[in-house]
Amino acid sequence: DLVAKAVTLQKLNIGVEGDMEGSARFAMQASELSQLSATSVMNGRFTIRNGQIMGIDIVETVRQRRAGKIPGGRTHFESLSSDLAFSAGSYHFRGIRLDGGKLKASASVDVNKREVTGAITADLNQIANMGTAQLQLGGSINELTLR
């Protein structure tokens, strides 16, 4: 079991900034020590406060109806929480909830070998009555795209 409190994500260089707390349960089993990492699994939950997702701007993508990356894009949030599962080298984020004040969103995201796929439902009703938007997330960890 692992419990983390007040982890500053900026230092991890993962494309998300903010202060994280969470907990996770790890398990590994192998007949040889060198095989342990290949069998590792993890399940947990985390919350990030006062942060931003680097590389995508949900509001501007919907506003401009653009496919792809808006240069310098960032999505600011007050809190972002998710369930997390890791196995066979892939990360699965489920039940993602983003609260950005006027922007509210839910999502599910998978990361496999640095390739990202996911779906985002963004509620933009409090931002100029823009409604709800369905978006597809893709690309790589370093070069996200939003459609």
Side-chain angles (χ1 to χ4, degrees):
D1 291 333
L2 170 69
V3 175
K5 296 184 182 212
V7 175
T8 303
L9 293 177
Q10 289 87 325
K11 296 177 182 176
L12 297 179
N13 194 25
I14 58 171
V16 178
E17 295 182 353
D19 296 320
M20 183 188 78
E21 60 184 44
S23 62
R25 176 164 282 207
F26 291 90
M28 293 182 262
Q29 182 177 348
S31 59
E32 295 185 27
L33 184 61
S34 63
Q35 298 171 341
L36 271 179
S37 65
T39 67
S40 63
V41 295
M42 175 184 68
N43 291 288
R45 180 149 186 81
F46 65 87
T47 300
I48 304 169
R49 301 206 188 287
N50 302 319
Q52 58 186 342
I53 302 169
M54 310 300 286
I56 61 170
D57 187 330
I58 293 172
V59 175
E60 284 303 307
T61 300
V62 173
R63 183 177 287 152
Q64 295 182 19
R65 298 176 189 216
R66 288 183 58 174
K69 180 180 176 186
I70 296 174
R74 294 184 175 131
T75 299
H76 297 272
F77 58 85
E78 294 169 12
S79 71
L80 183 147
S81 61
S82 179
D83 292 323
L84 166 64
F86 171 83
S87 65
S90 295
Y91 295 88
H92 308 282
F93 300 89
R94 297 292 180 263
I96 298 171
R97 296 279 181 238
L98 181 141
D99 181 350
K102 292 183 177 184
L103 168 64
K104 310 283 189 223
S106 61
S108 63
V109 175
D110 296 306
V111 180
N112 184 11
K113 297 180 183 173
R114 303 189 61 81
E115 293 301 311
V116 178
T117 58
I120 300 171
T121 301
D123 179 354
L124 302 162
N125 282 313
Q126 294 185 25
I127 303 173
N129 282 332
M130 293 175 71
T132 301
Q134 303 293 324
L135 303 163
Q136 294 299 313
L137 182 64
S140 70
I141 294 274
N142 297 333
E143 198 67 33
L144 293 173
T145 60
L146 194 56
R147 301 182 194 289

Short mmCIF file of all heavy atoms in Angstrom, two decimals, residues 58-111:
data_model
loop_
_atom_site.label_atom_id
_atom_site.label_comp_id
_atom_site.label_asym_id
_atom_site.label_seq_id
_atom_site.Cartn_x
_atom_site.Cartn_y
_atom_site.Cartn_z
N ILE A 58 -9.16 22.71 -23.40
CA ILE A 58 -10.49 22.20 -23.69
C ILE A 58 -11.41 23.32 -24.16
O ILE A 58 -12.09 23.20 -25.18
CB ILE A 58 -11.08 21.48 -22.47
CG1 ILE A 58 -10.30 20.20 -22.18
CG2 ILE A 58 -12.56 21.15 -22.69
CD1 ILE A 58 -10.67 19.50 -20.89
N VAL A 59 -11.44 24.43 -23.45
CA VAL A 59 -12.36 25.51 -23.78
C VAL A 59 -12.07 26.09 -25.17
O VAL A 59 -12.97 26.25 -25.99
CB VAL A 59 -12.32 26.62 -22.70
CG1 VAL A 59 -13.18 27.81 -23.11
CG2 VAL A 59 -12.77 26.07 -21.36
N GLU A 60 -10.82 26.39 -25.47
CA GLU A 60 -10.48 26.97 -26.77
C GLU A 60 -10.68 25.98 -27.91
O GLU A 60 -11.06 26.39 -29.01
CB GLU A 60 -9.04 27.51 -26.78
CG GLU A 60 -8.89 28.82 -26.05
CD GLU A 60 -9.80 29.90 -26.62
OE1 GLU A 60 -9.77 30.15 -27.84
OE2 GLU A 60 -10.56 30.50 -25.83
N THR A 61 -10.44 24.69 -27.67
CA THR A 61 -10.67 23.71 -28.72
C THR A 61 -12.14 23.69 -29.10
O THR A 61 -12.49 23.66 -30.28
CB THR A 61 -10.22 22.30 -28.27
OG1 THR A 61 -8.82 22.34 -27.98
CG2 THR A 61 -10.47 21.27 -29.35
N VAL A 62 -13.03 23.73 -28.11
CA VAL A 62 -14.47 23.74 -28.40
C VAL A 62 -14.88 25.08 -29.03
O VAL A 62 -15.60 25.12 -30.02
CB VAL A 62 -15.29 23.47 -27.12
CG1 VAL A 62 -16.78 23.67 -27.39
CG2 VAL A 62 -15.01 22.07 -26.60
N ARG A 63 -14.38 26.15 -28.47
CA ARG A 63 -14.74 27.48 -28.97
C ARG A 63 -14.34 27.65 -30.43
O ARG A 63 -15.09 28.18 -31.24
CB ARG A 63 -14.07 28.55 -28.11
CG ARG A 63 -14.46 29.97 -28.51
CD ARG A 63 -13.83 30.99 -27.59
NE ARG A 63 -14.53 30.91 -26.31
CZ ARG A 63 -13.99 31.21 -25.13
NH1 ARG A 63 -12.74 31.60 -25.07
NH2 ARG A 63 -14.68 31.13 -24.03
N GLN A 64 -13.14 27.21 -30.79
CA GLN A 64 -12.65 27.39 -32.15
C GLN A 64 -12.99 26.21 -33.06
O GLN A 64 -12.69 26.25 -34.25
CB GLN A 64 -11.14 27.59 -32.13
CG GLN A 64 -10.74 28.87 -31.43
CD GLN A 64 -9.23 29.06 -31.47
OE1 GLN A 64 -8.54 28.48 -32.28
NE2 GLN A 64 -8.72 29.90 -30.58
N ARG A 65 -13.60 25.18 -32.49
CA ARG A 65 -13.97 23.98 -33.25
C ARG A 65 -12.79 23.47 -34.06
O ARG A 65 -12.91 23.14 -35.24
CB ARG A 65 -15.16 24.25 -34.16
CG ARG A 65 -16.37 24.62 -33.37
CD ARG A 65 -17.50 24.97 -34.26
NE ARG A 65 -18.56 25.53 -33.43
CZ ARG A 65 -19.83 25.35 -33.66
NH1 ARG A 65 -20.21 24.64 -34.67
NH2 ARG A 65 -20.71 25.88 -32.86
N ARG A 66 -11.65 23.40 -33.38
CA ARG A 66 -10.43 22.94 -34.04
C ARG A 66 -10.13 21.50 -33.68
O ARG A 66 -10.37 21.07 -32.57
CB ARG A 66 -9.24 23.79 -33.59
CG ARG A 66 -9.28 25.18 -34.17
CD ARG A 66 -8.09 25.97 -33.78
NE ARG A 66 -6.86 25.32 -34.21
CZ ARG A 66 -5.68 25.88 -34.08
NH1 ARG A 66 -5.56 27.06 -33.54
NH2 ARG A 66 -4.61 25.25 -34.48
N ALA A 67 -9.59 20.79 -34.63
CA ALA A 67 -9.05 19.45 -34.37
C ALA A 67 -7.55 19.60 -34.23
O ALA A 67 -6.91 20.26 -35.02
CB ALA A 67 -9.39 18.51 -35.51
N GLY A 68 -7.00 18.99 -33.24
CA GLY A 68 -5.56 19.06 -33.04
C GLY A 68 -5.20 19.93 -31.87
O GLY A 68 -6.02 20.31 -31.06
N LYS A 69 -3.94 20.28 -31.84
CA LYS A 69 -3.39 20.99 -30.70
C LYS A 69 -3.38 22.49 -30.96
O LYS A 69 -2.95 22.94 -32.02
CB LYS A 69 -1.97 20.50 -30.44
CG LYS A 69 -1.31 21.16 -29.28
CD LYS A 69 0.09 20.62 -29.10
CE LYS A 69 0.78 21.37 -27.98
NZ LYS A 69 2.16 21.00 -27.83
N ILE A 70 -3.85 23.25 -30.00
CA ILE A 70 -3.71 24.70 -30.06
C ILE A 70 -2.38 25.02 -29.38
O ILE A 70 -2.17 24.65 -28.23
CB ILE A 70 -4.87 25.40 -29.33
CG1 ILE A 70 -6.19 25.10 -30.05
CG2 ILE A 70 -4.63 26.90 -29.23
CD1 ILE A 70 -7.41 25.62 -29.35
N PRO A 71 -1.45 25.65 -30.08
CA PRO A 71 -0.13 25.91 -29.49
C PRO A 71 -0.23 26.60 -28.13
O PRO A 71 -1.00 27.53 -27.95
CB PRO A 71 0.54 26.81 -30.52
CG PRO A 71 -0.16 26.51 -31.81
CD PRO A 71 -1.58 26.20 -31.41
N GLY A 72 0.53 26.07 -27.19
CA GLY A 72 0.55 26.66 -25.86
C GLY A 72 -0.68 26.38 -25.03
O GLY A 72 -0.90 27.00 -24.01
N GLY A 73 -1.47 25.42 -25.46
CA GLY A 73 -2.72 25.13 -24.77
C GLY A 73 -2.51 24.61 -23.36
O GLY A 73 -1.58 23.86 -23.08
N ARG A 74 -3.41 25.05 -22.47
CA ARG A 74 -3.42 24.59 -21.09
C ARG A 74 -4.85 24.58 -20.60
O ARG A 74 -5.64 25.45 -20.95
CB ARG A 74 -2.62 25.52 -20.18
CG ARG A 74 -1.17 25.55 -20.47
CD ARG A 74 -0.45 26.43 -19.46
NE ARG A 74 0.96 26.32 -19.71
CZ ARG A 74 1.78 27.34 -19.82
NH1 ARG A 74 1.33 28.56 -19.69
NH2 ARG A 74 3.04 27.14 -20.05
N THR A 75 -5.19 23.59 -19.80
CA THR A 75 -6.49 23.55 -19.16
C THR A 75 -6.28 23.66 -17.66
O THR A 75 -5.69 22.77 -17.04
CB THR A 75 -7.24 22.23 -19.50
OG1 THR A 75 -7.43 22.18 -20.92
CG2 THR A 75 -8.57 22.17 -18.80
N HIS A 76 -6.72 24.77 -17.10
CA HIS A 76 -6.58 25.01 -15.66
C HIS A 76 -7.73 24.34 -14.92
O HIS A 76 -8.84 24.25 -15.42
CB HIS A 76 -6.59 26.51 -15.38
CG HIS A 76 -5.43 27.22 -16.00
ND1 HIS A 76 -4.22 27.36 -15.37
CD2 HIS A 76 -5.28 27.79 -17.22
CE1 HIS A 76 -3.38 27.99 -16.17
NE2 HIS A 76 -4.01 28.27 -17.30
N PHE A 77 -7.46 23.89 -13.70
CA PHE A 77 -8.50 23.29 -12.88
C PHE A 77 -8.26 23.55 -11.41
O PHE A 77 -7.13 23.79 -10.98
CB PHE A 77 -8.60 21.77 -13.14
CG PHE A 77 -7.33 21.01 -12.87
CD1 PHE A 77 -7.01 20.57 -11.60
CD2 PHE A 77 -6.47 20.71 -13.91
CE1 PHE A 77 -5.85 19.85 -11.36
CE2 PHE A 77 -5.31 19.99 -13.68
CZ PHE A 77 -5.00 19.56 -12.40
N GLU A 78 -9.36 23.52 -10.65
CA GLU A 78 -9.28 23.62 -9.20
C GLU A 78 -9.05 22.24 -8.60
O GLU A 78 -8.32 22.09 -7.63
CB GLU A 78 -10.56 24.25 -8.65
CG GLU A 78 -10.71 25.69 -9.07
CD GLU A 78 -12.08 26.27 -8.76
OE1 GLU A 78 -12.87 25.63 -8.01
OE2 GLU A 78 -12.37 27.36 -9.28
N SER A 79 -9.70 21.21 -9.18
CA SER A 79 -9.45 19.83 -8.75
C SER A 79 -9.65 18.87 -9.91
O SER A 79 -10.48 19.11 -10.79
CB SER A 79 -10.34 19.45 -7.57
OG SER A 79 -11.67 19.30 -7.98
N LEU A 80 -8.87 17.82 -9.89
CA LEU A 80 -8.98 16.74 -10.86
C LEU A 80 -8.80 15.45 -10.07
O LEU A 80 -7.80 15.29 -9.36
CB LEU A 80 -7.89 16.87 -11.91
CG LEU A 80 -7.93 15.85 -13.05
CD1 LEU A 80 -7.43 16.49 -14.34
CD2 LEU A 80 -7.13 14.62 -12.74
N SER A 81 -9.77 14.55 -10.16
CA SER A 81 -9.67 13.29 -9.43
C SER A 81 -9.93 12.13 -10.38
O SER A 81 -10.60 12.29 -11.40
CB SER A 81 -10.65 13.25 -8.26
OG SER A 81 -11.97 13.37 -8.73
N SER A 82 -9.38 10.96 -10.04
CA SER A 82 -9.54 9.80 -10.91
C SER A 82 -9.20 8.52 -10.16
O SER A 82 -8.40 8.52 -9.23
CB SER A 82 -8.60 9.92 -12.11
OG SER A 82 -8.69 8.80 -12.96
N ASP A 83 -9.81 7.43 -10.64
CA ASP A 83 -9.36 6.10 -10.28
C ASP A 83 -8.25 5.75 -11.26
O ASP A 83 -8.29 6.17 -12.42
CB ASP A 83 -10.49 5.08 -10.40
CG ASP A 83 -11.58 5.32 -9.37
OD1 ASP A 83 -11.26 5.70 -8.23
OD2 ASP A 83 -12.76 5.13 -9.72
N LEU A 84 -7.28 4.96 -10.81
CA LEU A 84 -6.14 4.61 -11.64
C LEU A 84 -5.87 3.13 -11.52
O LEU A 84 -5.86 2.58 -10.41
CB LEU A 84 -4.90 5.40 -11.20
CG LEU A 84 -3.54 4.96 -11.73
CD1 LEU A 84 -3.46 5.12 -13.23
CD2 LEU A 84 -2.43 5.73 -11.05
N ALA A 85 -5.64 2.48 -12.65
CA ALA A 85 -5.21 1.08 -12.67
C ALA A 85 -4.00 0.98 -13.59
O ALA A 85 -3.93 1.65 -14.63
CB ALA A 85 -6.33 0.18 -13.18
N PHE A 86 -3.04 0.15 -13.21
CA PHE A 86 -1.85 -0.09 -14.01
C PHE A 86 -1.64 -1.58 -14.10
O PHE A 86 -1.67 -2.29 -13.09
CB PHE A 86 -0.62 0.56 -13.37
CG PHE A 86 0.67 0.17 -14.03
CD1 PHE A 86 1.09 0.83 -15.17
CD2 PHE A 86 1.44 -0.87 -13.53
CE1 PHE A 86 2.29 0.46 -15.80
CE2 PHE A 86 2.63 -1.25 -14.16
CZ PHE A 86 3.04 -0.58 -15.29
N SER A 87 -1.44 -2.07 -15.33
CA SER A 87 -1.06 -3.47 -15.53
C SER A 87 -0.51 -3.61 -16.93
O SER A 87 -0.88 -2.86 -17.84
CB SER A 87 -2.25 -4.42 -15.33
OG SER A 87 -3.23 -4.19 -16.31
N ALA A 88 0.38 -4.57 -17.10
CA ALA A 88 0.99 -4.87 -18.40
C ALA A 88 1.52 -3.62 -19.09
O ALA A 88 1.41 -3.47 -20.31
CB ALA A 88 -0.02 -5.59 -19.29
N GLY A 89 2.08 -2.70 -18.33
CA GLY A 89 2.68 -1.49 -18.89
C GLY A 89 1.71 -0.41 -19.32
O GLY A 89 2.11 0.58 -19.90
N SER A 90 0.42 -0.58 -19.05
CA SER A 90 -0.59 0.40 -19.44
C SER A 90 -1.26 1.02 -18.23
O SER A 90 -1.53 0.33 -17.25
CB SER A 90 -1.67 -0.26 -20.30
OG SER A 90 -1.13 -0.71 -21.51
N TYR A 91 -1.54 2.31 -18.34
CA TYR A 91 -2.27 3.04 -17.29
C TYR A 91 -3.69 3.27 -17.77
O TYR A 91 -3.91 3.63 -18.92
CB TYR A 91 -1.61 4.40 -17.04
CG TYR A 91 -0.22 4.30 -16.47
CD1 TYR A 91 0.89 4.21 -17.31
CD2 TYR A 91 -0.01 4.31 -15.09
CE1 TYR A 91 2.17 4.12 -16.79
CE2 TYR A 91 1.27 4.23 -14.57
CZ TYR A 91 2.35 4.14 -15.42
OH TYR A 91 3.61 4.04 -14.91
N HIS A 92 -4.64 3.08 -16.88
CA HIS A 92 -6.06 3.29 -17.19
C HIS A 92 -6.65 4.23 -16.14
O HIS A 92 -6.69 3.88 -14.96
CB HIS A 92 -6.81 1.96 -17.20
CG HIS A 92 -6.15 0.93 -18.06
ND1 HIS A 92 -6.27 0.94 -19.43
CD2 HIS A 92 -5.33 -0.10 -17.75
CE1 HIS A 92 -5.55 -0.06 -19.92
NE2 HIS A 92 -4.98 -0.71 -18.93
N PHE A 93 -7.08 5.40 -16.58
CA PHE A 93 -7.69 6.40 -15.71
C PHE A 93 -9.19 6.37 -15.97
O PHE A 93 -9.63 6.61 -17.09
CB PHE A 93 -7.13 7.79 -16.01
CG PHE A 93 -5.64 7.89 -15.81
CD1 PHE A 93 -4.77 7.60 -16.86
CD2 PHE A 93 -5.13 8.26 -14.59
CE1 PHE A 93 -3.40 7.68 -16.68
CE2 PHE A 93 -3.75 8.35 -14.41
CZ PHE A 93 -2.89 8.06 -15.46
N ARG A 94 -9.98 6.08 -14.94
CA ARG A 94 -11.43 5.99 -15.08
C ARG A 94 -12.10 6.90 -14.06
O ARG A 94 -11.56 7.14 -12.99
CB ARG A 94 -11.91 4.55 -14.85
CG ARG A 94 -11.37 3.56 -15.87
CD ARG A 94 -11.97 3.85 -17.26
NE ARG A 94 -11.48 2.93 -18.26
CZ ARG A 94 -10.49 3.18 -19.10
NH1 ARG A 94 -9.86 4.33 -19.08
NH2 ARG A 94 -10.13 2.29 -20.00
N GLY A 95 -13.29 7.35 -14.41
CA GLY A 95 -14.03 8.22 -13.49
C GLY A 95 -13.34 9.55 -13.26
O GLY A 95 -13.45 10.13 -12.18
N ILE A 96 -12.65 10.04 -14.26
CA ILE A 96 -11.95 11.32 -14.12
C ILE A 96 -13.00 12.42 -13.97
O ILE A 96 -13.95 12.50 -14.74
CB ILE A 96 -11.06 11.62 -15.34
CG1 ILE A 96 -9.97 10.56 -15.48
CG2 ILE A 96 -10.46 13.02 -15.25
CD1 ILE A 96 -9.17 10.66 -16.77
N ARG A 97 -12.81 13.27 -12.99
CA ARG A 97 -13.67 14.44 -12.77
C ARG A 97 -12.77 15.66 -12.68
O ARG A 97 -11.86 15.72 -11.87
CB ARG A 97 -14.45 14.32 -11.46
CG ARG A 97 -15.42 13.18 -11.44
CD ARG A 97 -16.69 13.58 -12.18
NE ARG A 97 -17.65 12.50 -12.13
CZ ARG A 97 -18.16 11.93 -13.21
NH1 ARG A 97 -17.81 12.32 -14.41
NH2 ARG A 97 -19.02 10.95 -13.11
N LEU A 98 -13.03 16.63 -13.55
CA LEU A 98 -12.27 17.88 -13.57
C LEU A 98 -13.22 19.00 -13.20
O LEU A 98 -14.28 19.14 -13.81
CB LEU A 98 -11.68 18.11 -14.96
CG LEU A 98 -10.83 19.37 -15.10
CD1 LEU A 98 -9.63 19.08 -15.98
CD2 LEU A 98 -11.62 20.52 -15.67
N ASP A 99 -12.84 19.80 -12.21
CA ASP A 99 -13.60 20.97 -11.82
C ASP A 99 -12.70 22.18 -12.03
O ASP A 99 -11.73 22.38 -11.30
CB ASP A 99 -14.04 20.87 -10.36
CG ASP A 99 -14.86 22.07 -9.90
OD1 ASP A 99 -14.96 23.07 -10.64
OD2 ASP A 99 -15.41 22.00 -8.79
N GLY A 100 -13.03 22.94 -13.05
CA GLY A 100 -12.24 24.12 -13.37
C GLY A 100 -13.01 25.41 -13.11
O GLY A 100 -12.86 26.38 -13.85
N GLY A 101 -13.86 25.41 -12.09
CA GLY A 101 -14.71 26.58 -11.84
C GLY A 101 -15.89 26.53 -12.78
O GLY A 101 -16.82 25.77 -12.60
N LYS A 102 -15.82 27.31 -13.86
CA LYS A 102 -16.90 27.31 -14.85
C LYS A 102 -16.85 26.10 -15.77
O LYS A 102 -17.85 25.72 -16.34
CB LYS A 102 -16.86 28.59 -15.67
CG LYS A 102 -17.21 29.81 -14.86
CD LYS A 102 -17.23 31.05 -15.71
CE LYS A 102 -17.65 32.24 -14.88
NZ LYS A 102 -17.77 33.44 -15.69
N LEU A 103 -15.70 25.49 -15.93
CA LEU A 103 -15.55 24.30 -16.76
C LEU A 103 -15.66 23.06 -15.87
O LEU A 103 -14.94 22.93 -14.89
CB LEU A 103 -14.19 24.28 -17.46
CG LEU A 103 -13.77 22.97 -18.12
CD1 LEU A 103 -14.71 22.62 -19.27
CD2 LEU A 103 -12.34 23.04 -18.59
N LYS A 104 -16.54 22.15 -16.24
CA LYS A 104 -16.68 20.85 -15.58
C LYS A 104 -16.49 19.80 -16.66
O LYS A 104 -17.00 19.95 -17.78
CB LYS A 104 -18.06 20.68 -14.94
CG LYS A 104 -18.51 21.81 -14.07
CD LYS A 104 -17.86 21.79 -12.73
CE LYS A 104 -18.52 22.83 -11.83
NZ LYS A 104 -17.62 23.58 -11.05
N ALA A 105 -15.77 18.74 -16.34
CA ALA A 105 -15.56 17.69 -17.34
C ALA A 105 -15.42 16.34 -16.67
O ALA A 105 -15.03 16.23 -15.51
CB ALA A 105 -14.31 18.00 -18.17
N SER A 106 -15.75 15.31 -17.45
CA SER A 106 -15.50 13.93 -17.04
C SER A 106 -14.77 13.26 -18.19
O SER A 106 -14.88 13.67 -19.34
CB SER A 106 -16.82 13.22 -16.71
OG SER A 106 -17.65 13.19 -17.84
N ALA A 107 -14.01 12.21 -17.86
CA ALA A 107 -13.22 11.58 -18.90
C ALA A 107 -12.78 10.18 -18.50
O ALA A 107 -12.86 9.80 -17.33
CB ALA A 107 -11.98 12.43 -19.20
N SER A 108 -12.30 9.45 -19.51
CA SER A 108 -11.57 8.21 -19.30
C SER A 108 -10.38 8.26 -20.26
O SER A 108 -10.52 8.70 -21.41
CB SER A 108 -12.45 6.99 -19.55
OG SER A 108 -12.87 6.96 -20.88
N VAL A 109 -9.21 7.85 -19.77
CA VAL A 109 -7.98 7.96 -20.55
C VAL A 109 -7.14 6.71 -20.35
O VAL A 109 -7.04 6.19 -19.24
CB VAL A 109 -7.16 9.21 -20.12
CG1 VAL A 109 -5.83 9.27 -20.84
CG2 VAL A 109 -7.96 10.48 -20.36
N ASP A 110 -6.54 6.24 -21.43
CA ASP A 110 -5.60 5.13 -21.38
C ASP A 110 -4.25 5.60 -21.91
O ASP A 110 -4.19 6.35 -22.89
CB ASP A 110 -6.09 3.96 -22.25
CG ASP A 110 -7.39 3.38 -21.72
OD1 ASP A 110 -7.43 3.02 -20.53
OD2 ASP A 110 -8.35 3.28 -22.50
N VAL A 111 -3.18 5.15 -21.26
CA VAL A 111 -1.82 5.46 -21.71
C VAL A 111 -1.10 4.13 -21.84
O VAL A 111 -0.92 3.40 -20.86
CB VAL A 111 -1.08 6.38 -20.71
CG1 VAL A 111 0.33 6.67 -21.22
CG2 VAL A 111 -1.85 7.66 -20.46
#
